[in-house]
Amino acid sequence: MKPKRIESINDFVIKFANVNGSGSASANELFARSILRMGVPVSPRNIFPSNIQGLPTWYEVRVTEKGWLGRRGGVDLMVAMNPQTWNQDIAEIEPGGYLFYDSTRPLPQSKFRDDINVIGMPLTDICNATYDDSRQRQLFKNIIYVGALAALLDMDAGAIAELIGEQYKGKEKLLKPNLNAMQMGRDYALAHLKCPIGLRVQRADAVGKKIFMEGNSAAALGAVYGGATVCAWYPITPSSSVAEAFERYCKRLRVDPETGKNKFAIVQAEDELASIGMVTGAGWNGARAFTATSGPGISLMTEFIGLAYFAEIPVTVIDVQRGGPSTGMPTRTQQADILSTAYASHGDTKHVLLFPEDPKECFEFTAQALDLADRLQTPVFVMTDLDIGMNTRLCDPLEWDDAKQYDRGKVMSAEELQAGKDFGRYLDLDGDGIPYRTYPGTHPTRGAYFTRGTTKDRYARYSEAGPDYVDNMQRLLKKFETAKTLVPKPLLSAALHPARFGVIYFGSTSPAMAEALDALAAQGIYVNALRVRAFPFQDEIADFVAAHSKVFVIEQNRDAQLKTLLVNEAHINPASLISVLHYDGTPITARFIVKEIAAVTAALNVRPLKKDKAA
Amino acid sequence: MTYLTKPKLHHPTLQKNKVGYTRRDYEGKISTLCAGCGHDSISASIIQACWELDIQPHRVAKLSGIGCSSKTPDYFLGNSHGFNSVHGRMPSVLTGANLANRELIYLGVSGDGDSASIGIGQFAHIMRRGVNLTYILENNGVYGLTKGQFSATADAGSKSKRGVVNRDAPVDTVSLALQLGATYVARSFSGDKKQLVPLIKGAIAHQGAAFIDIVSPCVAFNNHEGSTKSYDYVREHNDSVNRLDFWPTRDAISIDYQAGAVIDVAQHDGSVLRLRKIHPEYDPLDRVKALNYIAEHQAKGELVTGLLYVHPDAEDLHAHLNTVDTPFNQLNARELCPGAAALAKINAALR
């Protein structure tokens, strides 16, 4: 019996199974970008090993005219280029889906499935016949399959050619062979394979002005725009590309054109203890400084984070979260550092966290974090993750207002000191819990102080007296209250109909959540959704929970860390919260969220509104 | 407890330096260390050196880690900003501070526990990077503030006050600094102010990573017979390679020149170090020979002191990073933010 065929235009998932280091990454990205050029949104994801060469790697592209950028789950077309993972790759294809593979070597029938459509193309034979050099054979094989896919999916070959042209502009030696390889693959497929298959890409106008960018690059650019001059870091996946992108952008945007000198300093430190130390020292001395790291790095930094909290030093940390705990899952995503950052360090500490949803917010929040760190004189964490950080994501274009000045916070000048303004480093002059500071070297006789952790009074004099300690700790709490008024507010997506249920989510869950809300509404299940964008939590969050009978809290970790923080810090009754937790290292999907929420609402006997009635 | 306040009254006849400060303007709070502590003598030498160098006190930033030594920056230069940071991590904080404002003078004060045990990594890397600082290691071979445990610089065979003998090999911070690329390396003794003051002055004038290991006996826990960091032991085994004089850039140099016994070393900032060589074969410009010399004398149980190595044209971290002359902490949005037009171009390239 002939297998059924999945038929879909501009809405399917294609997955490339490759061997790490085989040059597939750039070919796969070329494929994804070509679809974008046709005006159809895509959401690609790298699923890669902790390895440079040899281990399996996957690239998953969701083609989605509706713009659902979360991971969908399931595969409609598998491009199986890695014999190592053949069995698992074949198993992953949806019934009625398609398998594209290199048919140079015959495979026994038992290696296939009856319920999928198999498309074989002798890629190795074609390459061997065309190229002598083994490296060329490998690299062009990737471009050849992109050409074949263009034919199979009825894509616009012109869009691919245009991109190849841009990529190899000025490198004619590379341009021609790449174009030829793409064309060769396309021609072969048109001549020998049944084109197109049931999956097709059709020109649309659904991309608009959107940009296609990695979150880590966006965060780095936010640091450039936000005025960071010092970046101290230690390599750790998935955050290393933040520092590398910062260097790249700085070389373009921060070199003084007259002197050729740098308005930035980047130090690859000996470890995370040193990188956060350098950031702390630079912040103490009045420069804007940041580091980028991931969970294990946060663990190493916690002693300094506590000191920066107590000594009230601006510090910005970009935490690109990965699977934890310990040194685990470096190439997988999670939102599992919420508690370890919120309460990082010894003693009573609490820190400001920002939760960007996409590269655009990585840009905005990193720039804003530098302002907040100066304003609040405290560590501020930008809590991104691997899913946002290391995947190219479609998002709105980045924006900047040229009228914006940096908020350097409360820094007492030499003139103010000279005029006799009362300077106490830990003195709350304005009633907002934020004291004034001075930069070292400001005034010959006034404003100098000795920086330490907690052992001090309001004038930074050494004091082990209990009342001085309590006074300081209470002021820090007041400062944290002030932070609530400064951090990004939560955003509400109200359901079309009055809803008993609410959902709270944050960060990279955002695209999957948007899609899930749409799918739930289609089933007649209406929920109001609140996207939390920062800690400390504003009152709106507790009000939102109070306004619903139950609120789902969607998180990508095992222990419901955001829920714990909500219960602890916003004094929310845990009985009103239901956790939806996804933590296997893959990005959360709308399918998962819908299934979990629908199951609970069904169990709670919610009768879905009739679709026609609702409309 | 809080501080004893120190009277601020200055005698009107006190001598002022070229920037109008008396020596007392370089003092800090009253020390809370034990009477007779070597560290207090080092603080006094720092005060003397800064006064003689005509440094404005508030243009110095003092950074330290944790321990007895790391408390001392509160006891000198009271009008300078100080930072009592994290145990063993002064070097990273100082590196960051130095990047933020290249115009200040940076003093890093540390101890042997702080630098040779918990902070040996950061000590190593700040030397490698050539951060422009004066790194003072107040070395007593013992953990004072936690009451007498051995540190990693304690010599093998030395005996603690409680009679415990240290069997671990000692870390020699001077050799380590030399190997790691420090460009001004000296050793001295807290009780030898004549040697120490010019060494500190030379280190401050040096435009790179300057390191001084100062043996500083701990009167409470490490000044007994059996200790190799006691006053008596050091006085008996001290072998000085040279005597240093220091001239800042603006002073005319006029001093007796004895061929073979004196060499002048002009540093990058124009200041001059004049070395009166006590050991004629000693060459402080040769790093490899310096390492051998130290090792040979160490084997004989001799503590070599003086200026052991100087690279007069050293480059610092800012030179390596090619940073602008204006301190980073004075740059504002106009100088740092590329603006909306540049962002529009970036957006366009991402489509």
Side-chain angles (χ1 to χ4, degrees):
Chain A
M1 198 182 77
K2 257 183 100 176
K4 74 167 183 139
R5 272 168 38 122
I6 296 176
E7 302 280 342
S8 183
I9 298 169
N10 291 353
D11 181 18
F12 56 88
V13 173
I14 171 167
K15 189 168 181 175
F16 299 83
N18 300 99
V19 178
N20 208 23
S22 65
S24 57
S26 52
N28 295 346
E29 194 175 319
L30 171 72
F31 170 80
R33 283 183 181 276
S34 309
I35 296 174
L36 268 187
R37 278 293 163 96
M38 292 176 66
V40 181
V42 290
S43 175
R45 282 182 169 76
N46 281 300
I47 302 147
F48 61 100
S50 179
N51 167 260
I52 300 301
Q53 197 178 20
L55 283 188
T57 178
W58 292 269
Y59 187 72
E60 194 178 280
V61 182
R62 181 173 187 185
V63 180
T64 166
E65 188 174 346
K66 282 191 177 164
W68 300 130
L69 302 178
R71 182 166 183 249
R72 191 198 71 178
V75 176
D76 301 315
L77 167 58
M78 178 68 74
V79 179
M81 292 293 142
N82 186 358
Q84 269 179 287
T85 58
W86 178 270
N87 291 340
Q88 87 183 71
D89 293 335
I90 302 300
E92 213 182 335
I93 303 169
E94 299 273 315
Y98 304 83
L99 165 71
F100 178 85
Y101 78 110
D102 182 356
S103 60
T104 302
R105 279 193 201 89
L107 285 167
Q109 194 54 41
S110 61
K111 284 284 181 193
F112 300 91
R113 268 168 52 187
D114 295 337
D115 60 343
I116 57 170
N117 303 284
V118 177
I119 307 153
M121 178 164 159
L123 291 165
T124 304
D125 274 349
I126 296 172
C127 285
N128 289 353
T130 319
Y131 308 103
D132 301 327
D133 176 71
S134 66
R135 171 127 189 96
Q136 281 193 336
R137 283 175 179 170
Q138 178 59 56
L139 289 178
F140 287 122
K141 187 157 125 185
N142 302 320
I143 302 294
I144 290 171
Y145 73 60
V146 171
L149 290 173
L152 290 165
L153 300 171
D154 199 20
M155 285 168 64
D156 184 349
I160 306 178
E162 185 181 294
L163 277 168
I164 293 177
E166 287 170 25
Q167 192 178 343
Y168 297 109
K169 201 173 163 192
K171 299 172 191 161
E172 297 301 316
K173 263 193 173 164
L174 291 167
L175 173 64
K176 260 248 153 102
N178 274 284
L179 278 176
N180 290 344
M182 191 272 288
Q183 200 56 49
M184 194 190 327
R186 186 162 180 270
D187 291 345
Y188 182 94
L190 287 171
H192 300 90
L193 307 173
K194 191 165 176 280
C195 296
I197 58 172
L199 309 174
R200 272 175 292 150
V201 185
Q202 231 169 48
R203 269 204 180 268
D205 189 16
V207 174
K209 287 270 161 204
K210 284 196 160 62
I211 58 166
F212 197 51
M213 187 180 204
E214 285 180 8
N216 283 355
S217 298
L221 194 58
V224 174
Y225 272 73
T229 47
V230 175
C231 167
W233 67 294
Y234 186 75
I236 179 171
T237 305
S239 74
S240 303
S241 56
V242 175
E244 287 160 356
F246 183 71
E247 180 163 22
R248 217 169 47 239
Y249 283 124
C250 280
K251 281 182 173 164
R252 251 169 73 189
L253 303 165
R254 279 278 194 79
V255 178
D256 186 293
E258 281 165 33
T259 61
K261 289 191 171 180
N262 298 329
K263 288 183 273 188
F264 64 92
I266 300 166
V267 179
Q268 185 187 317
E270 56 270 30
D271 52 30
E272 285 92 345
L273 285 71
S275 59
I276 191 73
M278 289 175 198
V279 170
T280 305
W284 174 75
N285 212 359
R288 291 197 152 181
F290 78 100
T291 187
T293 189
S294 191
I298 297 286
S299 297
L300 286 169
M301 291 176 182
T302 50
E303 187 183 20
F304 256 121
I305 291 166
L307 177 73
Y309 175 80
F310 286 119
E312 299 184 59
I313 295 167
V315 161
T316 298
V317 179
I318 297 163
D319 178 7
V320 188
Q321 296 169 90
R322 66 188 217 184
S326 187
T327 54
M329 303 254 282
T331 61
R332 302 290 188 263
T333 195
Q334 265 182 10
Q335 299 173 316
D337 297 343
I338 309 302
L339 291 174
S340 67
T341 47
Y343 298 130
S345 206
H346 45 277
D348 291 319
T349 49
K350 298 189 211 206
H351 306 292
V352 175
L353 314 180
L354 309 180
F355 304 113
E357 65 163 348
D358 66 359
K360 182 163 202 267
E361 281 192 346
C362 285
F363 173 78
E364 289 173 0
F365 286 8
T366 302
Q368 190 181 358
L370 292 157
D371 268 359
L372 286 171
D374 267 352
R375 170 55 50 186
L376 294 164
Q377 300 174 20
T378 200
V380 176
F381 295 83
V382 182
M383 303 296 291
T384 160
D385 61 26
L386 183 145
D387 188 33
I388 308 175
M390 289 190 74
N391 289 311
T392 321
R393 176 75 63 83
L394 202 61
C395 67
D396 286 331
L398 309 179
E399 290 166 39
W400 189 263
D401 177 4
D402 280 335
K404 186 184 149 45
Q405 290 296 314
Y406 298 147
D407 177 7
R408 301 308 317 265
K410 298 185 189 179
V411 182
M412 219 176 263
S413 66
E415 293 72 29
E416 286 171 303
L417 291 165
Q418 186 61 35
K421 193 166 175 179
D422 189 15
F423 176 72
R425 176 66 184 94
Y426 303 105
L427 181 66
D428 184 5
L429 275 183
D430 305 326
D432 57 4
I434 307 172
Y436 283 77
R437 62 180 183 138
T438 51
Y439 296 159
T442 299
H443 190 280
T445 54
R446 293 173 188 168
Y449 64 96
F450 200 68
T451 307
R452 344 178 139 76
T454 43
T455 323
K456 65 208 177 192
D457 67 5
R458 291 176 176 187
Y459 287 86
R461 292 172 298 216
Y462 189 90
S463 170
E464 294 179 14
D468 284 334
Y469 176 80
V470 171
D471 177 65
N472 189 51
M473 295 300 279
Q474 286 298 316
R475 183 183 52 74
L476 286 170
L477 274 186
K478 189 191 269 183
K479 185 166 88 165
F480 207 59
E481 282 297 309
T482 300
K484 281 186 189 172
T485 64
L486 301 172
V487 297
K489 290 198 177 309
L491 291 181
L492 177 74
S493 313
L496 290 171
H497 297 278
R500 277 177 58 198
F501 293 95
V503 58
I504 284 177
Y505 66 102
F506 64 102
S508 67
T509 301
S510 198
M513 193 68 235
E515 185 183 359
L517 289 173
D518 190 70
L520 285 165
Q523 293 181 28
I525 301 169
Y526 293 96
V527 289
N528 294 320
L530 191 72
R531 179 160 70 89
V532 171
R533 298 200 297 166
F535 174 69
F537 302 126
Q538 297 92 341
D539 294 344
E540 288 99 311
I541 296 170
D543 294 346
F544 177 83
V545 176
H548 297 88
S549 66
K550 295 276 181 197
V551 171
F552 296 94
V553 184
I554 320 288
E555 307 191 46
Q556 302 188 51
N557 60 63
R558 185 193 70 179
D559 290 343
Q561 297 190 19
L562 188 82
K563 182 185 155 200
T564 304
L565 206 57
L566 285 166
V567 169
N568 227 12
E569 298 289 335
H571 309 296
I572 289 169
N573 178 2
S576 58
L577 303 175
I578 303 169
S579 279
V580 174
L581 304 169
H582 184 277
Y583 55 92
D584 67 0
T586 61
I588 195 168
T589 62
R591 286 179 182 180
F592 178 85
I593 298 171
V594 169
K595 193 170 135 245
E596 295 284 311
I597 290 181
V600 175
T601 52
L604 291 170
N605 289 324
V606 185
R607 192 181 306 133
L609 286 168
K610 283 263 179 332
K611 253 196 112 174
D612 49 347
K613 224 171 131 189
Chain B
M1 60 145 267
T2 49
Y3 280 110
L4 298 168
T5 43
K6 198 168 189 174
K8 266 280 171 197
L9 293 172
H10 290 189
H11 196 277
T13 59
L14 276 179
Q15 196 192 338
K16 289 185 172 173
N17 63 9
K18 282 188 183 139
V19 284
Y21 293 92
T22 71
R23 204 188 148 284
R24 297 221 40 201
D25 293 320
Y26 293 81
E27 292 177 355
K29 302 266 172 24
I30 289 176
S31 170
T32 60
L33 300 177
C34 308
C37 177
H39 295 359
D40 285 332
S41 311
I42 299 170
S43 295
S45 290
I46 293 171
I47 289 167
Q48 186 68 27
C50 290
W51 182 73
E52 288 181 14
L53 278 175
D54 304 320
I55 290 167
Q56 292 183 296
H58 73 291
R59 301 302 290 171
V60 179
K62 318 165 287 185
L63 295 99
S64 59
I66 296 291
C68 291
S69 59
S70 292
K71 282 175 165 260
T72 65
D74 209 14
Y75 315 143
F76 57 82
L77 298 174
N79 282 318
S80 307
H81 277 65
F83 195 161
N84 199 172
S85 67
V86 177
H87 198 16
R89 320 281 175 224
M90 173 277 283
S92 62
V93 181
L94 193 148
T95 301
N98 182 292
L99 290 173
N101 184 357
R102 62 187 303 169
E103 287 182 348
L104 299 183
I105 291 162
Y106 293 90
L107 274 184
V109 178
S110 181
D112 39 306
D114 207 52
S115 282
S117 289
I118 189 167
I120 194 165
Q122 297 216 341
F123 165 72
H125 289 278
I126 200 168
M127 294 299 145
R128 278 182 62 226
R129 290 194 181 99
V131 176
N132 185 4
L133 90 159
T134 298
Y135 193 124
I136 288 174
L137 198 162
E138 307 189 347
N139 187 356
N140 57 18
V142 76
Y143 283 73
L145 214 48
T146 53
K147 302 194 173 174
Q149 299 83 3
F150 279 120
S151 88
T153 63
D155 288 297
S158 68
K159 202 188 272 181
S160 83
K161 210 174 171 182
R162 286 180 221 143
V164 181
V165 176
N166 175 47
R167 298 288 172 210
D168 298 343
V171 172
D172 178 30
T173 53
V174 159
S175 301
L176 202 54
L178 276 169
Q179 282 166 4
L180 291 164
T183 45
Y184 181 105
V185 179
R187 179 183 275 141
S188 189
F189 175 49
S190 63
D192 188 353
K193 206 171 170 183
K194 261 193 182 154
Q195 185 189 47
L196 187 51
V197 172
L199 281 176
I200 295 172
K201 287 165 74 177
I204 290 174
H206 184 71
Q207 301 293 300
F211 174 69
I212 312 177
D213 177 63
I214 307 170
V215 179
S216 173
C218 173
V219 288
F221 299 108
N222 207 6
N223 194 33
H224 49 275
E225 221 177 311
S227 160
T228 57
K229 300 271 191 292
S230 68
Y231 280 108
D232 288 346
Y233 184 91
V234 178
R235 285 204 177 103
E236 278 163 30
H237 296 79
N238 186 351
D239 186 22
S240 181
V241 289
N242 48 37
R243 279 281 165 198
L244 181 66
D245 290 317
F246 173 82
W247 287 272
T249 52
R250 53 196 170 280
D251 288 16
I253 300 162
S254 58
I255 197 132
D256 292 342
Y257 185 81
Q258 288 174 282
V262 171
I263 60 163
D264 283 350
V265 180
Q267 292 212 89
H268 206 57
D269 68 340
S271 61
V272 176
L273 303 167
R274 174 157 293 180
L275 290 155
R276 299 174 169 278
K277 297 172 73 168
I278 291 165
H279 289 271
E281 81 276 21
Y282 194 78
D283 179 5
L285 297 175
D286 188 326
R287 199 172 66 91
V288 177
K289 280 189 189 156
L291 274 166
N292 286 335
Y293 190 89
I294 293 164
E296 281 162 18
H297 287 257
Q298 213 158 30
K300 289 189 254 175
E302 287 169 2
L303 194 68
V304 181
T305 63
L307 179 61
L308 302 170
Y309 174 66
V310 61
H311 177 41
D313 297 321
E315 276 191 350
D316 81 332
L317 181 62
H318 278 281
H320 298 160
L321 294 174
N322 188 33
T323 53
V324 288
D325 296 339
T326 313
F328 284 167
N329 68 358
Q330 290 171 24
L331 300 174
N332 55 32
R334 196 169 49 83
E335 285 129 340
L336 295 175
C337 184
L343 196 59
K345 274 190 200 160
I346 292 168
N347 279 328
L350 293 168
R351 289 185 178 119

